[in-house]
Amino acid sequence: MRPVTIMLALILGLVLAQSNNYFPNGVGFSWVYSSGEEQAFAREKDGLLVLEHRYNGRSRYADLLRYDPTGVYLEGVYIGGATQKYNPPLQLYPSAPLIIGQEWGMKSSIQGKIVAFVAKVTRLEGIQVPAGKFNAYVIRTSFVTQSGGSSVVESYFVPGVGVVRFVGADGSKVDLVKFVRP
């Protein structure tokens, strides 16, 4: 094999290996935020990963997530002892890698109510949070419901780690304090 061919094969292998870990997922991953919230992949159920949102050690609700080659999807939420499914599932992230200027979005329904979700990668920014220093993709996300509710959030996403900061429309910040990789 020629040296150039070998080098290209190695680079391709590294890129493919990175894409498998780009959006961290799997039982045992967890994130602790400055708000006191802990997010943890607690288990798998029916082919979906269950991401629990815990406060003071108690689960308040859980996201039901699907990871596939086209991206990361929110299939539904588990709250109050009941599962509520999105139809169709909401695409939270497109396939890796993220690119500055990239946009995605869709409409879905949950319990008969329409929701719209739009996201855009606005920039790459160096950031320091209690969990460390990172170069993060800043993703501006707008979420609107049929009943008139809405929210706009900027999330700072780091490949292989996840979201290291959330910034609300009012400027409030929630930072990553601890990240656990199994």
Side-chain angles (χ1 to χ4, degrees), residues 93-104 119-122 139:
Y93 298 101
S95 60
L98 294 175
I99 300 165
I100 296 170
Q102 183 176 17
E103 294 182 62
W104 64 97
K120 180 178 182 176
V121 180
T122 60
I139 303 169

Side-chain angles (χ1 to χ4, degrees), residues 54-75:
R54 303 173 183 155
Y55 294 86
N56 298 319
R58 299 188 67 196
S59 181
R60 293 239 182 115
Y61 66 97
D63 296 325
L64 305 174
L65 300 170
R66 176 173 48 91
Y67 290 71
D68 72 25
T70 64
V72 179
Y73 294 85
L74 178 61
E75 294 275 342

Side-chain angles (χ1 to χ4, degrees), residues 85-87 108-116 144-147:
K85 293 274 191 163
Y86 282 97
N87 184 23
S108 183
S109 67
I110 187 165
Q111 293 193 318
K113 299 206 169 46
I114 304 294
V115 296
V144 179
T145 66
Q146 180 179 351
S147 59

Side-chain angles (χ1 to χ4, degrees), residues 23-56:
F23 301 107
N25 67 87
V27 174
F29 277 94
S30 67
W31 300 260
V32 177
Y33 291 95
S34 59
S35 63
E37 178 183 9
E38 177 188 6
Q39 296 179 8
F41 283 117
R43 65 190 175 285
E44 285 189 52
K45 182 179 180 187
D46 301 326
L48 302 175
L49 278 167
V50 178
L51 181 66
E52 289 186 356
H53 296 262
R54 303 173 183 155
Y55 294 86
N56 298 319

